[in-house]
Amino acid sequence: MNKLRGTVGALLCSCLALAAPAGADPVVDWNAITLQVVGAAGPLRPGPSGVLDLATVHVAVHDAVQAFEHRFEPYHARIRHASGSRTAAVAKAAHDVLHARFAAQRTFIDETYGTYLSSRGIDTNDPGVFVGQAAAADILALRANDGSFPVPSEVFVGGTGAGEWRPTPSFQAGAPPSFAPMAAPWLGAVEPFTKKFAEQFRPGPPPPLTSNRYARDFNEVKGLGARFDTALTTVTRTPGQTELANFYNDNLVALWHRTLQGIALERGLNLGDSARLFALASIASADAVMTAWDSKRFFNFWRPLTAIQEGNNDGNPKTAGDPAWQPFINTPPYSDYTSGANNLSGSITRVLQLFFKTDRMAFSVRSNNASAVLNPRPYQRFSDVADDMVEVRIYHGIHFRTADVVGRRQGRLVASQAFRHFLRPVHDHDRDDGDDDDDHGDDDDRDDGGHRDRDRS
């Protein structure tokens, strides 16, 4: 309990700094506060399940803003006769969702909210407060029985046969406990935000263990993803690849939301556009992560760590086992196929492409990993980050290429559907049918059973 109080106290100081009048975008402010609340929840938010909280917050914020603007369709709440401060509406919508979902942090959330309003000269009875309250109440009621965070939660430990995921050891500090069961095994079955049904974007199976494709994936990650040389394995990762691996050895949900914050501020988005961007990115990425978890649980495919250590027992003469092999970073406690990181990155980069109607935009990504050298890392295309994520999870030694490519494809499909059917412009002349300036189109990402390779230099 003392540790929790210390953490909350530190977060409160950080968030009170956010409440200074210099803030130009309350959506960005409350996204940052939400990230801190989710991050402080610890084991109560296993794996990437915090995406559910972010999506719920940003849907409420979007609907609160659109109660004033009427430019975009609400996600669900239709609030009439909105008046007062829009900043108050944003803050109250986010506050009420967080207050409902994080009981242990309610003091921190309340104090942060109070300071946020007072520092801006906004009364707690401003009419905008009641708009935010209505938006939050609506989405909380809608998601009340969505299947998330069940108590008790199922304990899933996979199987022990060739190709089956099973809990793995940890080798480095700051990792999940060794041989931890699957984190959030329920996540793939949660009620989606935008998908028609949970398994809508479930792909075909991973390559058979005896296939040439599997052998290529195996041998690629064995060299590129090794933590160190062994008697049977030589690390083939270059210094540049190691630098990229260190950069993206971070909480990727938080990294992407920090990136969205930077883009929103640098592009000077107005309040309605900012709220819509965060809401679209959040609901698409939440559904994309659910899609990955549906695939992980359904296919239960083993991680490179188990596969390489058991490589002499997989029936493939082209894969040589190495019992001493370890991955560059600790293996998360869930299966390989498909990649949650690539579902996440694929969905958010696709939303950005569709939102700005181009793949080409100068922006930067900042890592919280102290080992990152080039930080922030500049990019000129959204798809370049998605490409990097495919490679990075191989350099990390935690995914086969097929899991990465298929995961990216899933995320893009989820995002495309979300963008075309949710939070649409109200007026027909604002409609966007989804065409964008994207040289890495859907067909280039396709891996729908033929497992098409993409050549990399």
Side-chain angles (χ1 to χ4, degrees):
M1 179 62 71
N2 288 336
K3 182 177 179 182
L4 175 61
R5 287 175 179 167
T7 300
V8 170
L11 289 174
L12 178 58
C13 292
S14 175
C15 280
L16 293 184
L18 275 174
D25 187 339
V27 177
V28 168
D29 291 344
W30 280 92
N31 182 73
I33 292 167
T34 300
L35 287 178
Q36 292 176 318
V37 171
V38 173
L44 295 176
R45 291 298 184 267
S49 60
V51 295
L52 303 177
D53 304 296
L54 284 154
T56 307
V57 165
H58 281 295
V59 164
V61 166
H62 168 83
D63 284 3
V65 172
Q66 287 312 306
F68 295 90
E69 293 193 356
H70 308 291
R71 294 171 53 218
F72 303 106
E73 299 168 350
Y75 179 79
H76 188 260
R78 297 185 180 275
I79 303 166
R80 299 189 176 203
H81 311 302
S83 64
S85 166
R86 301 181 188 199
T87 295
V90 168
K92 182 61 172 173
H95 164 274
D96 282 11
V97 171
L98 294 174
H99 190 274
R101 295 174 73 89
F102 295 90
Q105 299 184 60
R106 283 177 177 170
T107 298
F108 158 67
I109 294 164
D110 289 345
E111 292 181 2
T112 301
Y113 169 74
T115 302
Y116 191 87
L117 292 188
S118 64
S119 68
R120 288 157 174 77
I122 302 172
D123 190 271
T124 54
N125 287 320
D126 184 280
V129 167
F130 302 103
V131 175
Q133 184 179 51
D138 181 89
I139 188 61
L140 288 170
L142 184 67
R143 302 290 303 178
N145 298 298
D146 63 3
S148 60
F149 306 107
V151 177
S153 179
E154 174 194 11
V155 176
F156 181 70
V157 294
T160 58
E164 290 186 301
W165 176 81
R166 75 287 313 261
T168 55
S170 296
F171 304 103
Q172 303 165 46
S178 282
F179 302 105
M182 183 179 185
W186 44 265
L187 186 54
V190 171
E191 181 71 23
F193 285 87
T194 68
K195 294 191 298 179
K196 298 176 182 177
F197 48 92
E199 63 273 21
Q200 180 180 359
F201 296 105
R202 184 183 292 170
L209 297 184
T210 55
S211 67
N212 289 332
R213 176 61 181 267
Y214 175 75
R216 291 198 302 272
D217 283 359
F218 177 104
N219 289 310
E220 178 183 46
V221 71
K222 184 180 181 184
L224 287 173
R227 185 178 176 191
F228 44 63
D229 291 342
T230 70
L232 299 175
T233 300
T234 300
V235 177
T236 58
R237 192 176 53 252
T238 67
Q241 291 168 337
T242 298
E243 180 183 338
L244 194 66
N246 279 323
F247 182 90
Y248 282 106
N249 184 14
D250 194 3
N251 181 320
L252 296 178
V253 174
L255 178 145
W256 265 115
H257 275 261
R258 293 194 305 269
T259 301
L260 290 169
Q261 290 172 188
I263 291 171
L265 293 175
E266 290 164 10
R267 305 299 295 183
L269 297 183
N270 63 43
L271 183 61
D273 288 336
S274 182
R276 179 177 180 245
L277 173 61
F278 276 92
L280 282 168
S282 296
I283 60 179
S285 60
D287 276 7
V289 169
M290 292 183 219
T291 296
W293 251 247
D294 169 77
S295 301
K296 287 177 184 294
R297 181 62 192 273
F298 183 79
F299 294 108
N300 194 43
F301 196 66
W302 61 8
R303 287 279 189 167
L305 169 58
T306 308
I308 293 169
Q309 291 188 352
E310 296 287 332
N312 293 334
N313 303 315
D314 61 13
N316 193 322
K318 297 181 179 179
T319 61
D322 182 352
W325 190 89
Q326 295 181 15
F328 181 68
I329 69 170
N330 281 298
T331 298
Y334 28 86
S335 65
D336 169 71
Y337 188 81
T338 60
S339 166
N342 278 280
N343 257 282
L344 176 73
S345 296
S347 65
I348 293 181
T349 51
R350 184 60 170 166
V351 165
L352 286 165
Q353 290 168 344
L354 294 170
F355 185 90
F356 290 107
K357 302 182 182 180
T358 183
D359 185 43
R360 297 177 178 87
M361 181 178 292
F363 68 102
S364 61
V365 179
R366 180 177 293 277
S367 174
N368 278 348
N369 191 322
S371 299
V373 177
L374 178 62
N375 196 14
R377 182 173 290 268
Y379 285 92
Q380 300 299 318
R381 296 166 59 109
F382 298 126
S383 59
D384 286 344
V385 187
D387 287 347
D388 276 355
M389 194 59 61
V390 168
E391 306 304 317
V392 157
R393 299 313 253 183
I394 298 167
Y395 306 155
H396 284 164
I398 63 173
H399 273 304
F400 296 110
R401 179 175 292 277
T402 297
D404 290 341
V405 172
V406 177
R408 177 179 57 184
R409 168 69 172 168
Q410 286 176 302
R412 288 175 58 82
L413 290 172
V414 171
S416 293
Q417 175 173 284
F419 189 89
R420 289 166 181 156
H421 296 285
F422 289 84
L423 318 188
R424 300 295 313 175
V426 170
H427 301 296
D428 288 342
H429 67 270
D430 287 332
R431 286 189 62 85
D432 183 320
D433 292 330
D435 294 333
D436 66 333
D437 187 12
D438 176 15
D439 292 344
H440 296 269
D442 286 343
D443 290 342
D444 290 333
D445 290 329
R446 187 176 58 247
D447 197 324
D448 50 3
H451 300 296
R452 173 183 175 184
D453 281 314
R454 295 183 65 186
D455 294 333
R456 306 291 301 183
S457 58

